[in-house]
């Protein structure tokens, strides 16, 4: 197989490339961001692209959004999301219609390289490889609502309802601005709020909170 790997963790990316090369597969490109991923797939037309969900610059869902673009623009390239996170915001869009040629595996649950390579082969051949935890979260995403938020996420949402900016929320909770951004991204995901401007999504999130 000809493979593109997109992951901003250099050690993981290069280590995976070496392991795949030993198994007789050709890693034609290893990249660290979504822009380079799109360029690499357009140039090399690989059998499959292994993509981390969260990559620079915001480390939220760049990889997943790039995967959706690649699915549309390069339908013959299999897409295997390989991440620590289940990101429901766009995963349903990626799997919309037919999930053929798409996989989504969680890094912490892949314990055997043979299983990973087998998943790659299935996806490259037009099959599917979905972790059961991914399936469970995708099926539950539409019904989660505010009740699915963690206690800290509810605290963040309550402060958003008070009109606090991210910096003020971080100061109140004694956490970093980056931590607040991650919590807010998780809130948007669990409430099923697709990107349409962060200000608009904040208002919708607060409305969900008030209704609860």
């Amino acid at each position: 197989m000809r493979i593109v790997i997109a992951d901003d963790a250099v050690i993981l990316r290069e280590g995976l490339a070496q392991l795949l090369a030993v198994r007789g597969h050709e890693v034609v490109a290893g990249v660290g961001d979504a822009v380079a991923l799109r360029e690499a797939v357009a140039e090399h037309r690989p059998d499959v692209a292994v993509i981390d969900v969260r990559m620079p610059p915001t480390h939220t869902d760049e990889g997943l959004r790039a995967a959706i673009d690649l699915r549309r623009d390069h339908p013959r390239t299999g897409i295997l999301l390989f991440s620590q996170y289940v990101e429901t915001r766009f995963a349903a869009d990626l799997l919309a219609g037919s999930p053929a040629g798409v996989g989504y595996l969680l890094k912490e649950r892949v314990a055997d390289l043979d299983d990973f390579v087998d998943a790659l082969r299935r996806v490259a051949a037009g099959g599917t490889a979905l972790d059961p935890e991914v399936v469970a979260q995708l099926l539950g995403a539409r019904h989660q609502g505010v009740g699915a938020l963690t206690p800290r996420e509810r605290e963040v949402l309550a402060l958003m309802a008070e009109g606090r900016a991210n910096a003020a929320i971080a100061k109140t909770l004694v956490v970093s601005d980056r931590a607040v951004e991650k919590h807010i991204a998780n809130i948007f995901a669990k409430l099923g709020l697709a990107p349409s401007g962060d200000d608009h999504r904040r208002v919708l999130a607060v409305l969900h909170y008030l209704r609860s």
Side-chain angles (χ1 to χ4, degrees):
M1 286 183 293
R2 301 176 70 254
I3 303 165
V4 166
I5 299 175
D7 196 305
D8 64 313
V10 177
I11 293 176
L12 186 150
R13 186 173 73 229
E14 295 186 354
L16 182 58
Q18 291 177 11
L19 290 171
L20 291 171
V22 169
R23 297 298 179 97
H25 303 293
E26 182 185 4
V27 176
V28 295
V31 299
D33 61 71
V35 174
L37 166 62
R38 291 181 176 92
E39 293 174 349
V41 171
E43 177 181 354
H44 297 286
R45 302 299 175 96
D47 299 305
V48 61
V50 180
I51 304 170
D52 190 11
V53 167
R54 299 185 178 184
M55 290 192 291
T58 68
H59 295 276
T60 53
D61 51 26
E62 284 85 354
L64 184 47
R65 287 188 282 120
I68 293 172
D69 292 344
L70 295 177
R71 179 99 161 128
R72 179 193 66 231
D73 298 336
H74 305 281
R76 294 186 179 180
T77 295
I79 302 294
L80 179 62
L81 296 173
F82 190 45
S83 179
Q84 292 175 286
Y85 310 97
V86 180
E87 176 57 74
T88 60
R89 239 183 308 178
F90 296 112
D93 291 339
L94 180 65
L95 296 166
S98 170
V102 176
Y104 197 145
L105 301 180
L106 298 179
K107 291 177 180 177
E108 64 181 15
R109 290 164 61 93
V110 176
D112 188 276
L113 181 60
D114 288 335
D115 291 341
F116 180 75
V117 173
D118 181 61
L120 274 178
R121 288 196 183 102
R122 293 203 310 273
V123 170
T128 304
L130 297 176
D131 187 286
E133 178 64 21
V134 173
V135 175
Q137 291 203 33
L138 287 174
L139 289 176
R142 293 183 180 179
H143 307 288
Q144 286 180 341
V146 174
L149 302 182
T150 65
R152 178 46 60 93
E153 288 165 357
R154 288 181 67 89
E155 287 181 315
V156 170
L157 184 52
L159 292 169
M160 289 168 60
E162 295 178 11
R164 307 280 189 95
N166 287 11
I169 294 173
K171 184 177 180 180
T172 300
L173 299 179
V174 194
V175 297
S176 68
D177 289 353
R178 179 60 187 279
V180 171
E181 291 171 3
K182 288 185 176 180
H183 287 311
I184 292 175
N186 288 336
I187 290 167
F188 290 160
K190 291 180 179 179
L191 296 181
L193 300 175
S196 58
D198 279 352
D199 289 341
H200 181 58
R201 286 196 291 174
R202 289 175 85 95
V203 172
L204 293 176
V206 168
L207 289 175
H208 276 285
Y209 175 76
L210 295 175
R211 288 170 186 158
S212 70

